[in-house]
Amino acid sequence: MRVHGLLLQLRAKSRQLERKHNGQVAVTNSNQRWSFNGFEFQCENGEPLRVAFTLNCCGPEAMTWVVTM
């Protein structure tokens, strides 16, 4: 993605309180923890293309996704 200029611009870090992680994030069964992410890039014609998706953290496939222009 770096070679083709598709990386997102970095944001300036904001000051946040430091939190220590004392628990376990991993889950052993499906449908206990989900994550959401998305990205946007500009098409050749200048229009933005946005992709968002939800993942079940216990499986390799996206639960749902959406693409908008």
Side-chain angles (χ1 to χ4, degrees), residues 4-23:
H4 297 288
L6 298 176
L7 295 178
L8 296 175
Q9 294 177 357
L10 295 177
R11 292 185 184 181
K13 290 184 179 181
S14 61
R15 289 185 65 157
Q16 295 179 355
L17 298 175
E18 187 175 324
R19 297 186 313 170
K20 292 188 178 191
H21 175 62
N22 297 325

Side-chain angles (χ1 to χ4, degrees), residues 36-41 48-53 65-69:
F36 170 82
N37 206 341
F39 57 90
E40 176 180 320
F41 60 91
L49 182 70
R50 296 175 187 95
V51 180
F53 51 90
W65 55 271
V66 62
V67 177
T68 61
M69 291 183 80

